[in-house]
Amino acid sequence: MKPHITIIIKPTLFCNTDCKHCYHIPKDRIKGEISLERVEKLIKLASEEYQTAWFIWHGGEPLTIPMSFYKDVISLEEKYFGKDSMRYGNTINTNGMLLNRRLMAYCREKKINVGISYEGPYNYVLRAGDVEKTLDTLSAKDNKYSISATISKETASKQKEIYEYFRDRAVSVSLSPVIAAGCGTCYVPDTEEFVKGSIEAFDEWLFDNQARIPLMPFYLYIQHYLGEPVPSDCAHTSCLTKWICMYPDGSLYPCAKACPKGFLMGNIDDIGSISDAFQSEGFRNILVGSIKRREKCSSCEIYRFCNGGCSVDACYENGLEENGGASCEAYKRIFRHVSSEIQKILDEKPNLDRYNPFVKEAVIGKLLNPKTIA
């Protein structure tokens, strides 16, 4: 059996709000949901081919599907992977508008991670509605969730403020730029402003010795630089064959980020194994193009940390086979800053109490168990 796969399932493309930057255009965001039979088949195939699988419920807005659907899904996972087997896990990515105590209680019981798309004080820039009161209520009941804050051209310089907002609430947050696809094209941040804002947020977190949260993706960058694997940082790993996404109609794609039709890997109704999807013409298209781009990237001094970046991002920027797009330039400059600060700590060995606990722990681990940083 293969070791692991991350499976993204979009049970619906319908959404109860109208985010300005959504990479699914309005005509695609229609009502309709995936059949439980399709979900069962994918779960069954995954259990037969992989030791472990992580299921991410995406959309659209996945919580417009009744809670009973997810209870049925959990029953199917327990059936095919084994109850309490530790072979599977789940994350629900939501805009938070439909969260409630009953749902969160079920997520706690079944150990389902909840990720909420929310920009705190700047939520109005991209989204209608505000979930601040809902989140305050959930936090008061000790519910666990994390935040994904999407950075647009209007908030590129506000990343430090967004970090401080969630730091004060002790809620983990990840900062990521708008993708240049679908409706998001008009909201992509200026590269210079995004880099500057990201570095300001990182520096604030780095020297925040009272920080109770990791700040993503910078914490992952630190772990990566120190030699630790970072499988959750999907944009900077060799993700192909390790991720697959299923749409409501059963269509299969390499990931959830609005893949072009040329990357279609067939339909769950027509395959006998997940391996069949990875033998498709659509997967060959993204694989071959990615290899050509990575060949051009291979001489870059940080290539081993980014693996040529995200293929879908590249596709929407300069083209699948080309490097040097906005995401590439931003990553290089941000990663160099992060890594230089960490290398300075390793070289100078200052009083680590100056730094936040996550950096302190990562660096101490490195010093106690050194690995080569080439």
Side-chain angles (χ1 to χ4, degrees):
M1 297 178 78
K2 303 179 186 72
H4 179 78
I5 190 168
T6 299
I7 297 173
I8 307 166
I9 298 179
K10 294 177 180 261
T12 182
L13 295 185
F14 175 72
C15 190
N16 57 339
T17 187
D18 187 23
C19 298
K20 299 174 184 177
H21 65 295
C22 185
Y23 46 69
H24 290 303
I25 59 177
K27 74 179 184 68
D28 293 334
R29 301 199 296 266
I30 58 175
K31 288 189 176 181
E33 60 187 75
I34 199 166
S35 69
L36 195 61
E37 290 75 20
R38 283 177 169 144
V39 173
E40 179 174 10
K41 182 174 181 180
L42 187 54
I43 291 173
K44 179 177 183 293
L45 293 180
S47 72
E48 293 169 347
E49 295 179 63
Y50 295 88
Q51 294 174 18
T52 60
W54 196 272
F55 295 89
I56 299 176
W57 302 90
H58 206 276
E61 171 49 52
L63 293 186
T64 59
I65 303 295
M67 188 174 169
S68 57
F69 171 84
Y70 295 101
K71 289 184 176 181
D72 288 339
V73 165
I74 296 297
S75 295
L76 290 171
E77 291 174 342
E78 292 174 347
K79 173 183 175 181
Y80 289 106
F81 283 95
K83 188 174 182 179
D84 300 323
S85 67
M86 305 298 288
R87 291 184 59 205
Y88 65 93
N90 293 275
T91 295
I92 293 177
N93 285 342
T94 172
N95 59 32
M97 302 291 286
L98 298 174
L99 286 174
N100 56 58
R101 294 179 183 178
R102 187 168 64 94
L103 174 61
M104 292 299 289
Y106 182 74
C107 289
R108 286 199 309 274
E109 177 191 348
K110 295 298 182 179
K111 298 181 175 60
I112 300 171
N113 291 343
V114 178
I116 303 170
S117 299
Y118 182 57
E119 287 74 45
Y122 296 101
N123 195 64
Y124 66 90
V125 172
L126 296 175
R127 309 176 194 276
D130 196 301
V131 297
E132 182 173 14
K133 290 184 179 179
T134 299
L135 299 188
D136 287 345
T137 300
L138 295 177
S139 295
K141 294 296 181 180
D142 199 32
N143 289 289
K144 302 301 181 184
Y145 58 90
S146 61
I147 295 291
S148 175
T150 304
I151 305 304
S152 68
K153 61 183 179 182
E154 286 193 46
T155 56
S157 63
K158 310 294 186 183
Q159 295 180 69
K160 177 173 171 287
E161 293 178 52
I162 293 173
Y163 159 66
E164 291 171 336
Y165 175 89
F166 291 109
R167 174 202 62 194
D168 293 346
R169 289 157 176 76
V171 177
S172 298
V173 61
S174 176
L175 308 174
S176 57
V178 171
I179 299 169
C183 302
T185 305
C186 299
Y187 298 92
V188 175
D190 174 77
T191 302
E192 190 68 33
E193 285 293 311
F194 179 74
V195 170
K196 181 181 177 182
S198 294
I199 289 174
E200 287 177 351
F202 169 76
D203 287 347
E204 177 67 19
W205 174 71
L206 178 66
F207 293 103
D208 187 351
N209 60 11
Q210 299 301 311
R212 292 172 289 167
I213 62 169
L215 180 59
M216 302 297 185
F218 311 117
Y219 183 46
L220 293 176
Y221 293 172
I222 291 170
Q223 291 179 304
H224 205 166
Y225 183 69
L226 293 176
E228 298 299 327
V230 285
S232 60
D233 184 23
C234 67
H236 303 113
T237 58
S238 297
C239 69
L240 298 179
T241 73
K242 299 179 179 69
W243 292 65
I244 194 168
C245 175
M246 182 167 66
Y247 276 57
D249 65 357
S251 298
L252 300 169
Y253 286 92
C255 82
K257 293 169 71 172
C259 291
K261 292 292 186 183
F263 300 161
L264 176 65
M265 299 163 60
N267 193 288
I268 189 66
D269 298 342
D270 304 322
I271 63 173
S273 69
I274 294 176
S275 297
D276 290 346
F278 290 122
Q279 297 297 319
S280 65
E281 183 66 21
F283 186 74
R284 182 182 182 279
N285 290 338
I286 191 172
L287 181 62
V288 170
S290 299
I291 290 171
K292 290 180 179 178
R293 185 183 73 261
R294 289 170 179 170
E295 288 173 347
K296 297 173 184 177
C297 295
S298 60
S299 60
C300 177
E301 71 274 18
I302 65 169
Y303 171 70
R304 65 194 179 92
F305 296 113
C306 76
N307 290 285
C310 173
S311 293
V312 177
D313 286 350
C315 184
Y316 284 110
E317 294 174 355
N318 291 352
L320 177 61
E321 298 179 10
E322 302 299 326
N323 57 5
S327 60
C328 171
E329 179 63 22
Y331 176 78
K332 284 196 291 188
R333 293 172 59 185
I334 296 167
F335 186 85
R336 284 168 179 159
H337 177 80
V338 171
S339 60
S340 67
E341 290 294 323
I342 298 304
Q343 190 60 52
K344 186 188 300 183
I345 297 172
L346 293 172
D347 292 340
E348 298 177 3
K349 299 180 177 61
N351 181 356
L352 290 176
D353 289 339
R354 297 172 55 199
Y355 302 95
N356 75 63
F358 299 91
V359 172
K360 180 178 178 180
E361 181 181 2
V363 171
I364 289 175
K366 175 70 179 180
L367 295 174
L368 292 177
N369 185 25
K371 300 173 184 176
T372 301
I373 298 179

